[in-house]
RNA sequence: GCCGCUGUGGUGAAAUUGGUAUACACGCCAGACUUAAAAUCUUGUGGUAGCAAUACCGUGUGGGUUCGAUUCCCGCCAGCGGCACCA
């Protein structure tokens, strides 16, 4: 059959059948919410990674639907972002138009690949009716004190002219364009995700993510436990009298022989400006120079380039609170102002970095323990914290690797941040009834040279009245990061057309949590963490009914190019799913991708193996067509094969074991070609293949005389009695080595004595027993027999 | 350096509450059909020895537990992914 004709035909018919894949808010059937990460609709169209991931989700959704569930399987567009903006700048086109073209293209490609999305729930993060609620969430964050404006050094990409989060800097370079990142001070909106750090760790207990994903989240949050300890500064002329440090090893306090503060530490400003301190001008200049150099470097450079420690003495001394010894305070860029308190106590005897520093600058090294390996550190730390609390010099504390989330972007193509700066009232939220704050159309999309968003050039946008006092005020011109639209989209799918709330509590209660969330490994930390944070925050506001958004996280693998490298345009190894589908048909492409290997695995594209799948589908089709007028009665041989298939497929699909499910289908066809099949079994066979190959099965289903869609039929149930073999071949081993096989009936294999006795009579077994004594007879029912012999 | 993962035929891979290792597919060999080729179909295909029955070896590597280990434990080697002066 011509697959193109079939594909066109069924695409048309399915499009008319609006209820085929509809998720029903009112149904009494059990709900299943299957979610694929929604894509960024790029100009180059759907790539293999998308096709692979969505096929995996689609098979599961189709399977769950056939199993009698009310399935929510939605799709949408994470459409804000730099590539579209850059394209718009280059081509002098509106990002809105470009996005429309790209999403239209993506939608058509998805329909062609037969993904069973409920298109009535399609969402788009760039739709004002959608980002109205993204803005609303920001207002709630601000009201809860979780969003604040802060002048802070940020990673600055000179090429994109944008501030980057630490997470967006890879190897000191901009994640998107690869330019070297420098540092720059900009006033930014920052979201206090750190306040939820503990909750984000604890909440994992309520999910069934695989350990790998949980561990990735825990590591990213990076909780360390220890103590904060206060050191007095001995120079009376210093305005700052106290230096607080965080340490995981408070038990080594008596070995602290110096302190180190980050160059950005507030203490340093005091030194440079305070001319009464007992340091020479020369020393002051040295400090100034060091701080200046350190500030120029990005954090990445500082950490990367630091093969050798650098630093300068600050001229100040602190008092070690445990022994009242005066110890010097040094400045070094290996201490990060953004971690802990930005200052450390240095214990060179028990810390490698401190040791290196001490050796370079000739600072004393004092051992706390003769042999640290023999010490129960956890126990000593516990005792030390008690002591520190009793002495009133500090308290137990934890610190996190996780940092607050920089939420401002100086770009056009993002959600406007709904904040207004009033000279009298300060930062004020926009009134909710004025949302959405719609992105105005502008002439040019480039950020300004001083790094401001192009929105800052639109006076009618910037100038506004203060929602609080009614005075003249100015609107924020920064926009939100990509993550903002994607961290709550799964809520909107539950109630996508609601214009009163982001989603009604009732529909959220109906659908949440997401039963299976399918996405890439690369989103196991950032996107997953951000969206869990927003979800937890909204849970606290009683907007959502569940503490966690996702029950199970499924992270799919990667498809490499035929050359075993990651697909990229520069390597010329990109496989376009649409092209392959045009050549072999959609069903072949879908099945091949699922047959390549385990769904979570990394594997290379190989068109030879694809031919195997194509052959199978051709043979399958021929087989069914030959059976169309089949009137045979059911028979046991066929029932055994079919019921084992039902059982095996049901189990495999449930566990995303698509490669083995397809292997079983292939094996099943091999078996069936040798025996007689009846009409009912033919229909079962078609149903089993339906989630994988929706076009061919639908066509054959209609050719075998059915008027309904195979995709709205119910999944077959295996009959127990056909799952047990009447006759079983048991391996018989002597001392663990298999020597023969014993054929027994399912009745016979229940009695150990009989089975063992029969085994001993086998020719090959007898041979091995000559002159030996049996010392042990092991029989695992239905599995195997092992005779342990001696002599 | 730290965290996580992986290692099975010529290739992609199956099999783990410990029970016949290599299912399914690719490739390859031989055969059928064909003037021929492609396509299709049939058979074979872990290694060594043997006409064969069969025997021995075999899941990165060295040990251990066990009647029995691809599966569990310990050490090592190789590769992949992530993080990295985090106090």
């Amino acid at each position: 059959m011509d697959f193109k004709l079939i594909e066109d035909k069924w695409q048309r018919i399915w499009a008319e059948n609006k209820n085929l894949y509809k998720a029903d808010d009112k149904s009494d059937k059990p709900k299943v919410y299957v979610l694929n990460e929604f894509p960024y609709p790029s100009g180059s169209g759907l790539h293999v990674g998308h096709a692979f991931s969505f096929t995996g989700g689609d098979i599961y959704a189709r399977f769950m639907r056939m199993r009698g569930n009310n399935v929510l399987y939605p799709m949408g567009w994470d459409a804000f972002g730099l590539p579209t903006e850059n394209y718009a700048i280059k081509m002098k086109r509106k990002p809105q138009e470009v996005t429309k073209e790209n999403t239209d293209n993506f939608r058509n490609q998805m329909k062609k690949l037969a993904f069973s999305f409920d298109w009535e729930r399609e969402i788009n993060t760039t739709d004002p009716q959608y980002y109205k609620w993204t803005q609303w969430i920001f207002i709630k964050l601000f009201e809860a004190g979780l969003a604040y404006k802060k002048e802070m050094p940020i990673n600055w990409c000179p090429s994109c002219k944008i501030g980057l989060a630490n997470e967006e800097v890879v190897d000191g370079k901009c994640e998107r364009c690869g330019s070297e990142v420098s540092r720059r001070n900009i006033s930014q909106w920052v979201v206090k995700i750190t306040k939820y750090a503990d909750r984000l760790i604890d909440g994992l207990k309520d999910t069934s993510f695989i350990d790998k994903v949980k561990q990735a989240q825990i590591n990213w949050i990076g909780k360390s436990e220890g103590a904060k300890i206060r050191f007095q500064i001995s120079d009376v002329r210093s305005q700052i009298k106290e230096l607080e440090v965080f340490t995981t090893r408070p038990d080594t306090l008596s070995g602290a022989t110096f302190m180190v503060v980050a160059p950005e530490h507030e203490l340093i400003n005091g030194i440079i400006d305070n001319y009464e301190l007992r340091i020479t001008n020369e020393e002051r200049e040295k400090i100034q120079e060091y701080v200046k150099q350190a500030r120029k470097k990005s954090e990445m450079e500082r950490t990367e380039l630091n093969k050798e420690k650098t630093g300068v003495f600050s001229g100040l001394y602190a008092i070690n609170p445990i022994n009242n010894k005066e110890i010097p305070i040094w400045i070094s860029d290996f201490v990060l102002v953004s971690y802990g308190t930005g200052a450390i106590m240095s214990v060179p005897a028990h810390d490698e970095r401190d040791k290196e520093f001490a050796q370079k600058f000739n600072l004393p090294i004092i051992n706390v323990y003769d042999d640290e390996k023999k010490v129960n550190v956890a126990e000593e730390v516990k005792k030390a914290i008690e002591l520190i609390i009793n002495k009133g010099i500090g308290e137990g504390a934890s610190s996190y690797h996780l940092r607050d989330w920089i939420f401002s972007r100086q770009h056009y193509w993002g959600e406007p941040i709904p904040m207004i700066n009033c000279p009298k009232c300060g930062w004020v939220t926009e009134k909710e009834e004025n949302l959405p704050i719609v992105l105005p159309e502008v002439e040019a999309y480039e950020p300004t040279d001083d790094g401001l968003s192009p929105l800052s050039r639109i006076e009618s946008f910037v100038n506004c009245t203060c929602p609080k006092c009614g005075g003249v005020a100015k609107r924020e011109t920064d926009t939100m990061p990509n993550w903002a639209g994607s961290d709550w989209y799964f809520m909107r799918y539950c109630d996508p057309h609601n214009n009163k709330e982001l989603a009604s509590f009732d529909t959220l209660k109906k659908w949440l949590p997401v039963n299976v969330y399918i996405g890439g490994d690369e989103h196991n930390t950032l996107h997953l963490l951000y969206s869990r944070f927003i979800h937890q925050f909204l849970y606290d506001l009683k907007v959502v009914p569940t503490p966690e958004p996702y029950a199970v996280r499924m992270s799919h693998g990667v498809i490499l190019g035929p050359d075993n490298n990651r697909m990229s345009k520069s390597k010329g190894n990109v496989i376009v799913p649409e092209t392959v589908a045009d050549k072999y048909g959609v069903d072949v492409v879908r099945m091949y991708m699922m047959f390549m290997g385990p769904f979570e695995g990394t594997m290379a594209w190989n068109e030879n193996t694809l031919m195997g799948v194509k052959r199978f589908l051709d043979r399958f089709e021929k087989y069914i067509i030959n059976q169309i007028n089949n009137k045979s009665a059911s028979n046991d041989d066929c029932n055994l094969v079919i019921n084992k298939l039902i059982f095996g497929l049901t189990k495999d699909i449930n566990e995303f074991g698509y490669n083995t499910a397809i292997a079983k289908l292939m094996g099943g066809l091999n078996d069936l070609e040798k025996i007689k099949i009846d009409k009912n079994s033919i229909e079962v066979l078609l149903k089993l293949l339906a989630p994988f190959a929706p076009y061919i099965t639908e066509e054959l289903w209609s050719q075998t005389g059915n008027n309904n869609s195979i995709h709205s039929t119910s999944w077959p149930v295996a009959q127990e009695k056909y799952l047990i073999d009447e006759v079983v071949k048991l391996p018989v081993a002597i001392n663990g080595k298999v020597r023969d096989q014993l054929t027994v009936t399912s009745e016979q294999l229940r009695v150990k004595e009989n089975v063992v006795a029969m085994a001993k009579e086998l020719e090959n077994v007898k041979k091995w027993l000559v002159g030996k004594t049996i010392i042990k007879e092991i029989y695992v029912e239905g599995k195997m027999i092992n005779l342990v012999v001696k002599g």
Side-chain angles (χ1 to χ4, degrees), chain A residues 55-199:
Chain A
T55 303
D58 183 57
I59 292 167
Y60 191 76
R62 286 176 181 277
F63 168 72
M64 282 304 185
R65 244 179 244 122
M66 289 174 84
R67 295 261 280 169
N69 297 295
N70 179 23
V71 172
L72 171 54
Y73 186 45
M75 188 36 68
W77 320 108
D78 187 16
F80 274 129
L82 279 178
T84 301
E85 176 164 314
N86 289 339
Y87 181 80
I89 291 169
K90 204 168 128 198
M91 307 305 285
K92 303 216 178 308
R93 300 190 53 201
K94 289 181 185 164
Q96 287 85 345
E97 274 177 25
V98 175
T99 297
K100 168 91 171 50
E101 282 173 17
N102 290 349
T103 53
D104 285 348
N105 183 34
F106 263 65
R107 192 183 310 102
N108 286 337
Q109 291 182 318
M110 287 175 172
K111 285 187 176 171
K112 180 171 177 178
L113 289 169
F115 301 137
S116 60
F117 301 128
D118 180 352
W119 287 107
E120 283 180 28
R121 291 175 186 254
E122 176 181 346
I123 57 169
N124 185 329
T125 55
T126 66
D127 176 354
Q129 287 313 307
Y130 178 90
Y131 68 66
K132 172 179 179 177
W133 301 105
T134 313
Q135 291 173 333
W136 180 84
I137 292 171
F138 186 88
I139 288 176
K140 294 295 153 191
L141 286 167
F142 181 84
E143 287 172 354
L146 292 171
Y148 57 100
K149 206 137 207 217
K150 196 180 176 193
E151 179 90 18
M152 58 190 305
I154 55 137
N155 303 301
W156 175 257
C157 173
S159 165
C160 301
K161 289 171 181 162
I162 193 173
L164 302 171
N166 282 327
E167 297 86 31
E168 292 168 302
V169 181
V170 177
D171 291 335
K173 295 186 173 97
C174 172
E175 188 185 50
R176 292 181 191 272
C177 73
S179 310
E180 201 69 36
V181 171
S182 62
R183 302 190 94 188
R184 183 166 175 159
N185 278 317
I186 286 192
S187 178
Q188 308 268 343
W189 284 103
V190 182
V191 171
K192 221 181 257 179
I193 189 173
T194 49
K195 198 180 167 193
Y196 277 70
D198 278 321
R199 284 270 296 279

Side-chain angles (χ1 to χ4, degrees), chain A residues 282-465:
Chain A
E282 200 190 323
E283 283 170 324
R284 177 171 287 112
E285 274 166 30
K286 220 171 137 188
I287 293 167
Q288 265 174 322
E289 182 56 27
Y290 185 82
V291 171
K292 202 174 128 196
Q293 288 302 328
R295 281 203 177 153
K296 257 204 239 167
K297 297 182 205 166
S298 73
E299 205 160 87
M300 278 297 165
E301 277 178 299
R302 271 167 56 172
T303 54
E304 233 177 19
L305 294 176
N306 234 309
K307 291 185 174 85
E308 198 172 335
K309 296 269 178 293
T310 60
V312 285
F313 175 47
S314 72
L316 295 178
Y317 289 85
I319 307 292
N320 186 334
I322 203 85
N323 52 24
N324 293 324
K325 278 187 190 157
E326 195 173 57
I327 59 176
I329 301 172
W330 283 68
I331 304 163
S332 176
D333 62 8
F334 84 84
V335 173
L336 308 176
V337 74
S338 52
Y339 188 76
T341 62
I344 61 165
M345 64 177 210
S346 275
V347 187
H350 303 289
D351 182 284
E352 274 307 309
R353 291 155 304 153
D354 293 351
K355 191 177 185 175
E356 210 184 299
F357 196 86
Q359 280 165 345
K360 176 150 183 194
F361 296 103
N362 272 322
L363 295 159
I365 299 174
I366 297 173
N367 282 313
V368 179
Y369 304 115
D370 293 335
D371 188 353
E372 205 181 347
K373 284 185 190 125
K374 289 182 185 158
V375 178
N376 181 346
V377 173
E379 196 55 40
E380 294 299 323
V381 166
K382 223 169 123 188
K383 277 193 254 168
I385 293 174
E386 274 170 40
L387 182 74
I388 285 162
I389 294 169
N390 285 341
K391 287 195 161 235
I393 56 172
E395 63 271 346
S398 12
S399 189
Y400 301 90
H401 172 91
L402 182 75
R403 292 164 205 194
D404 278 344
W405 176 14
I406 298 173
F407 210 76
S408 289
R409 298 292 184 275
Q410 296 71 42
H411 271 276
Y412 172 75
W413 195 227
E415 301 89 346
I417 294 176
M419 298 298 295
I420 290 161
N421 196 7
C422 170
K424 273 192 224 151
C425 315
W427 283 105
V428 181
T429 59
E430 178 59 86
K431 287 181 186 162
E432 281 182 31
E433 62 260 35
N434 290 343
L435 297 181
I437 304 304
V438 178
L439 263 178
E441 301 216 348
V442 299
E443 293 293 321
Y445 300 105
E446 293 92 340
T448 63
D449 289 343
D450 51 2
L452 294 176
S453 154
L455 293 179
S456 64
R457 287 188 292 241
I458 310 294
E459 289 195 11
S460 58
F461 178 80
V462 176
N463 296 324
C464 61
T465 52

Side-chain angles (χ1 to χ4, degrees), chain A residues 648-706:
Chain A
L649 276 261
T650 306
K651 187 167 178 284
D652 283 354
I653 299 176
N654 239 323
E655 295 161 2
F656 283 79
Y658 298 146
N659 55 334
T660 51
I662 293 169
K664 285 187 177 100
L665 279 168
M666 289 172 166
L669 183 63
N670 291 346
D671 293 343
L672 288 169
E673 281 176 331
K674 292 171 198 140
I675 59 177
K676 261 195 170 174
I677 189 169
D678 58 285
K679 170 124 188 175
N680 180 54
S681 296
I682 291 166
E683 298 206 335
V684 169
L685 199 57
L686 280 171
K687 286 182 182 181
L688 294 178
L689 183 65
F692 299 93
Y695 285 114
I696 186 83
T697 49
E698 186 77 308
E699 174 64 24
L700 292 169
W701 183 251
S702 107
Q703 287 198 22
T704 45
N706 293 288

Side-chain angles (χ1 to χ4, degrees), chain A residues 512-546:
Chain A
L512 291 179
V514 172
N515 294 70
V516 188
Y517 190 23
I518 302 160
D521 268 340
E522 70 274 22
H523 292 132
N524 281 347
T525 42
L526 300 180
H527 164 66
L528 212 58
L529 200 68
Y530 290 150
S531 63
R532 288 183 56 229
F533 159 60
I534 292 296
H535 190 93
Q536 290 184 347
F537 167 66
L538 292 175
Y539 177 71
D540 290 346
L541 294 188
K542 301 193 163 44
V543 173
V544 296
T546 59

Side-chain angles (χ1 to χ4, degrees), chain A residues 407-684:
Chain A
F407 210 76
S408 289
R409 298 292 184 275
Q410 296 71 42
H411 271 276
Y412 172 75
W413 195 227
E415 301 89 346
I417 294 176
M419 298 298 295
I420 290 161
N421 196 7
C422 170
K424 273 192 224 151
C425 315
W427 283 105
V428 181
T429 59
E430 178 59 86
K431 287 181 186 162
E432 281 182 31
E433 62 260 35
N434 290 343
L435 297 181
I437 304 304
V438 178
L439 263 178
E441 301 216 348
V442 299
E443 293 293 321
Y445 300 105
E446 293 92 340
T448 63
D449 289 343
D450 51 2
L452 294 176
S453 154
L455 293 179
S456 64
R457 287 188 292 241
I458 310 294
E459 289 195 11
S460 58
F461 178 80
V462 176
N463 296 324
C464 61
T465 52
C466 172
K468 209 168 173 183
C469 69
V472 176
K474 286 196 188 299
R475 196 178 286 287
E476 171 63 63
T477 59
D478 281 352
T479 53
M480 300 187 198
N482 259 86
W483 314 108
S486 63
D487 57 30
W488 70 280
Y489 74 113
F490 54 91
M491 303 173 195
R492 189 65 179 173
Y493 282 136
C494 299
D495 196 6
H497 310 295
N498 194 328
N499 51 22
K500 298 201 172 64
E501 314 155 89
L502 62 81
S504 80
F505 196 77
D506 282 347
T507 55
L508 291 171
K509 208 165 174 179
K510 166 119 197 140
W511 295 109
L512 291 179
V514 172
N515 294 70
V516 188
Y517 190 23
I518 302 160
D521 268 340
E522 70 274 22
H523 292 132
N524 281 347
T525 42
L526 300 180
H527 164 66
L528 212 58
L529 200 68
Y530 290 150
S531 63
R532 288 183 56 229
F533 159 60
I534 292 296
H535 190 93
Q536 290 184 347
F537 167 66
L538 292 175
Y539 177 71
D540 290 346
L541 294 188
K542 301 193 163 44
V543 173
V544 296
T546 59
E548 285 286 332
Y550 317 115
V552 173
R553 167 76 178 179
M554 193 60 216
S555 69
H556 65 246
V558 181
I559 300 185
L560 305 174
D563 57 353
N564 233 316
N565 286 308
R566 256 175 205 274
M567 289 188 195
S568 73
K569 277 184 190 151
S570 58
K571 285 193 188 114
N573 61 352
V574 175
I575 301 290
V576 180
E578 205 177 7
T579 315
V580 189
D582 285 342
K583 200 165 160 193
Y584 301 103
V586 167
D587 289 334
V588 171
V589 176
R590 286 174 55 114
M591 274 188 89
Y592 166 59
M593 289 188 297
M594 296 300 106
F595 185 60
M596 288 172 87
F599 191 58
E600 315 88 70
T602 301
M603 50 243 147
W605 188 267
N606 178 346
E607 219 135 294
N608 283 334
T609 312
L610 179 145
M611 289 310 294
V613 173
K614 180 168 165 41
R615 270 176 220 148
F616 165 72
L617 279 177
D618 287 348
R619 244 173 72 210
F620 186 92
E621 180 187 312
K622 222 179 280 172
Y623 178 77
I624 299 289
I625 287 176
N626 282 334
Q627 304 290 342
I628 282 177
N629 295 317
N630 185 317
K631 301 233 160 51
S632 314
S634 103
N635 69 78
D636 277 2
D637 284 347
C638 173
N639 286 336
L640 280 171
V641 174
I642 289 285
N643 282 284
K644 277 185 186 155
L645 271 185
I646 298 172
F647 181 81
L649 276 261
T650 306
K651 187 167 178 284
D652 283 354
I653 299 176
N654 239 323
E655 295 161 2
F656 283 79
Y658 298 146
N659 55 334
T660 51
I662 293 169
K664 285 187 177 100
L665 279 168
M666 289 172 166
L669 183 63
N670 291 346
D671 293 343
L672 288 169
E673 281 176 331
K674 292 171 198 140
I675 59 177
K676 261 195 170 174
I677 189 169
D678 58 285
K679 170 124 188 175
N680 180 54
S681 296
I682 291 166
E683 298 206 335
V684 169

